[in-house]
Amino acid sequence: MLEIFELSLNTKRAIASDELKKATQTISEALNSGKQAVMKIAYTLAEINDKKLYSADGFKNIKQYASTMFSFSDRTTNAYILTANNFIEFNEKENCYQSIFATEINGEKIDFNFTALLEMNTMANKDESRSDLIDMIKNNTISPFQSNADIRATIKAFKNREIDINGNRLIETTATVENTPTAEKTTADNTTANKPTGTVKEVTVTPKDSNNAENISPIEIVQYLTKYCNMYHALALKDKEVDKAVQNLLKAINK
């Protein structure tokens, strides 16, 4: 994990430009005021980089400035700026820095911490994945109440198409059953679309004569069982014991 605080202000290097001096002082004060100020540091670095304020004092780029003034590594500087550009804004009304996802519940501000935003950077590079991230936050698939490790795991599962934007598990299973001596096989597929849509696609199974239960074959019974086990399996993601039991049942049906 990125080391956010590396060293404090290097006072041996004087700054001549008034605008850069003010921005440098902002970062210096934030470094000494605790981790809640990380968003302020990131936002200010991104602003210095965007306006190229570093050039007024002879710095080649933002990395050289951040390294000289604060001993930030290039990796740290990049992470600050990327996260600020992706997620951080200044709330003029409340005079504070916050993420674009900040909200208020029962009079209390709820927001992601900086390291949680770092985890979400990988979904902010493209418009499509950024849209997916916003939907996941709206649906509470990712929330400020989760640990950073949980957020990382959720993003990984979504990228691997193991869950959809609602947190439902996406499954691909095929049930194959022998019915006659000629080994004629019937297959019921439960597949997902190329892009997660928020629901598990159902298998449509229609008995030959739904008005006469005696005419429903063993194959069709197994197809029904597979269909509904798959659907229940998708809803059992957060219950490990139920999830395990349904997986075992699916394995038994597919044999």
Side-chain angles (χ1 to χ4, degrees), residues 213-237:
E214 294 179 357
N215 291 334
I216 300 177
S217 69
I219 291 177
E220 290 169 325
I221 293 174
V222 172
Q223 288 177 323
Y224 270 108
L225 285 172
T226 304
K227 169 186 174 180
Y228 290 110
C229 281
N230 280 334
M231 292 172 65
Y232 192 80
H233 184 51
L235 299 174
L237 180 64

Side-chain angles (χ1 to χ4, degrees), residues 100-198:
I100 58 175
F101 307 116
T103 187
E104 191 173 292
I105 300 177
N106 296 326
E108 180 182 356
K109 177 176 281 191
I110 305 298
D111 198 5
F112 289 95
N113 61 46
F114 186 80
T115 49
L117 297 176
L118 283 175
E119 299 292 351
M120 294 188 281
N121 270 327
T122 57
M123 290 192 68
N125 298 330
K126 296 180 180 179
D127 290 341
E128 184 178 2
S129 60
R130 186 181 182 87
S131 177
D132 288 333
L133 174 64
I134 292 172
D135 285 340
M136 292 173 78
I137 292 172
K138 286 181 180 178
N139 297 333
N140 286 321
T141 306
I142 294 176
S143 82
F145 301 105
Q146 291 176 301
S147 67
N148 297 333
D150 285 341
I151 292 175
R152 187 185 315 125
T154 300
I155 291 174
K156 181 179 179 181
F158 179 78
K159 286 184 174 181
N160 292 338
R161 297 183 181 274
E162 296 170 7
I163 62 172
D164 62 17
I165 58 175
N166 297 310
N168 294 328
R169 180 166 294 179
L170 300 171
I171 320 159
E172 285 193 21
T173 61
T174 301
T176 304
V177 183
E178 292 189 4
N179 186 41
T180 66
T182 58
E184 181 181 353
K185 296 180 179 181
T186 301
T187 303
D189 292 321
N190 184 27
T191 60
T192 61
N194 290 332
K195 181 183 176 184
T197 60

